[in-house]
Amino acid sequence: MPVEKGPAVTGPRRRVTQRDIARLSGVSQATVSLVLNNRLDGGVRIAADTRQRVLDAIRETGYVADPIARRLADHYNRIIGVFTYEPVFPSGARDFFHPFLLGLEEQAERLGCDLLLLTSAPVDGGRRRMFAEGSRIRLADGCVLLGQEVDRGDLERLVSEGIPFVSVGRRDDAGGPVPYVGADYPAATAALVARAADLGHERVAYVGRGEGPESYADRLRGFRAAAAKAGVAYGRIPVAATEKLDAAVAEGVTAIFLEEPADIPTVTAWAADRGLDVPGDLSVVALGDPTRPVSIDLDVTGFTIPRREMGRQALDVFLGLLGSTAEARAEADVQRLLPCELHDGATLAPAPIGRNHS
């Protein structure tokens, strides 16, 4: 059916809208939206002739001609949503999330994709809601998830509905495998515990939650496994509180491993107040990079997270998911753990003589 053309106009041409497409096609604006996004909502079926009328109107008017042509040709428009569960706009180059965003941006540019930062999701209980009313996640081909803690319900829905996505950071299965690019925290943490054991430390402590986000649980898992393998006595201190640290030292702990490296100033100040030298009396190891801005004067022993590379590879995984079958996804490398870089630093020293058995 030919599309009815409106009267000729002179002067600057008005931008064609979805409402115009709906009027020319004789359908609702909602139907136009469904055709544009190439999807079905709530089981809605669009008749072939209706869909064709909408597509004819799009071509006749030139409405978003390039994106539509690309979508018709390869079924996606190379717009990738980035959904964050906490604010990630960097306040400076030292911001924890800055390297992730930089890696995403660099790879998106190289691959010819655009990033759509999904910031309009409403906040409920201090957390953004991905599938709240008015969610714009389906404007993109899918999304990259960024943040320390990800909502389990969101993951389960993404997996069950087959929405292409990838998490920056390892995630547990959520009704099915979750695509991710994460850091190998267990291996990096274990390597540092082994170093401490080689230096004679017989009692060590993990300082942090060790639960909640997978990144915390992974660190603690690597810590426990390495300590047990080395025959080192170990314990966990939930927070870097002075009374907890006092108790650990009184029990003979000679090395502490900080889940949150931003706690280093607090720990070193506490050690100075107690007359403890770092690392002469107490070794301090950082398990990653600070997640909040702090000033650290020490050359701290620990590891760095490959944040920039995680951002880059997240887009590689995502694009590999587009258009692939369930069988292909099962065989693809969509769950990647990247090695962390160990840093010798100056805060891990041989265990002080006579402290291990005090």
Side-chain angles (χ1 to χ4, degrees):
M1 173 181 175
V3 176
E4 177 186 352
K5 297 183 179 180
V9 295
T10 58
R13 184 175 180 178
R14 181 177 65 83
R15 177 180 177 273
V16 180
T17 67
Q18 284 191 28
R19 181 176 298 177
D20 296 325
I21 300 299
R23 177 178 56 80
L24 291 170
S25 308
V27 300
S28 69
Q29 191 171 337
T31 298
V32 173
S33 178
L34 291 173
V35 173
L36 285 171
N37 288 285
N38 196 27
R39 62 185 172 85
L40 303 177
D41 274 358
V44 174
R45 295 291 183 268
I46 301 175
D49 61 337
T50 300
R51 176 182 174 83
Q52 190 58 51
R53 288 206 310 274
V54 173
L55 295 177
D56 287 343
I58 289 170
R59 279 190 285 268
E60 289 286 341
T61 60
Y63 175 74
V64 290
D66 290 342
I68 292 301
R70 286 197 299 269
R71 182 181 291 278
L72 293 173
D74 57 20
H75 307 296
Y76 62 95
N77 59 18
R78 293 185 176 271
I79 296 177
I80 303 170
V82 179
F83 187 89
T84 69
Y85 284 88
E86 56 254 355
V88 298
F89 281 116
S91 57
R94 295 177 60 190
D95 185 276
F96 179 72
F97 289 104
H98 181 259
F100 293 119
L101 294 170
L102 191 59
L104 286 169
E105 180 184 30
E106 289 173 344
Q107 196 70 345
E109 182 179 1
R110 189 182 76 80
L111 297 172
C113 298
D114 290 313
L115 298 177
L116 176 64
L117 194 57
L118 301 168
T119 58
S120 65
V123 176
D124 180 14
R127 306 283 290 170
R128 288 191 177 125
R129 303 289 91 182
M130 179 181 295
F131 290 104
E133 184 178 355
S135 170
R136 295 191 174 101
I137 189 171
R138 293 184 185 274
L139 292 177
D141 295 313
C143 67
V144 176
L145 305 182
L146 184 60
Q148 283 189 293
E149 296 192 60
V150 175
D151 185 86
R152 295 294 302 174
D154 287 349
L155 285 179
E156 291 171 359
R157 184 166 176 181
L158 287 166
V159 170
S160 66
E161 295 188 9
I163 298 173
F165 78 100
V166 62
S167 169
V168 178
R170 189 192 74 78
R171 304 297 171 192
D172 294 330
D173 287 357
V178 172
Y180 63 74
V181 176
D184 195 348
Y185 295 119
T189 302
L192 291 170
V193 172
R195 286 189 184 184
D198 290 342
L199 291 171
H201 293 274
E202 298 176 3
R203 289 182 179 272
V204 297
Y206 180 99
V207 181
R209 292 166 55 187
E211 59 184 10
E214 286 85 348
S215 59
Y216 291 171
D218 286 352
R219 287 174 169 91
L220 181 58
R221 178 160 50 88
F223 173 84
R224 285 173 169 166
K229 181 178 180 180
V232 173
Y234 63 90
R236 182 176 70 88
I237 303 172
V239 292
T242 56
E243 65 275 10
K244 301 291 186 181
L245 294 170
D246 287 340
V249 171
E251 293 172 359
V253 167
T254 57
I256 60 175
F257 293 73
L258 298 178
E259 176 184 88
E260 174 49 79
D263 290 336
I264 289 171
T266 299
V267 171
T268 54
W270 159 81
D273 288 343
R274 299 300 189 270
L276 297 172
D277 177 69
V278 176
D281 299 314
L282 181 69
S283 290
V284 177
V285 179
L287 302 179
D289 304 291
T291 61
R292 58 182 187 270
V294 292
S295 177
I296 300 175
D297 298 327
L298 293 172
D299 181 16
V300 182
T301 301
F303 63 77
T304 57
I305 305 167
R307 293 174 286 175
R308 194 165 178 171
E309 186 62 22
M310 287 167 66
R312 290 194 189 105
Q313 292 200 27
L315 286 195
D316 290 339
V317 170
F318 177 83
L319 289 180
L321 293 171
L322 291 182
S324 62
T325 64
E327 292 76 11
R329 288 194 294 272
E331 298 178 0
D333 181 19
V334 297
Q335 292 186 330
R336 304 180 184 181
L337 287 180
L338 307 186
C340 299
E341 183 177 354
L342 299 182
H343 177 66
D344 289 336
T347 58
L348 177 60
I353 298 175
R355 278 283 316 284
N356 282 310
H357 302 288
S358 60

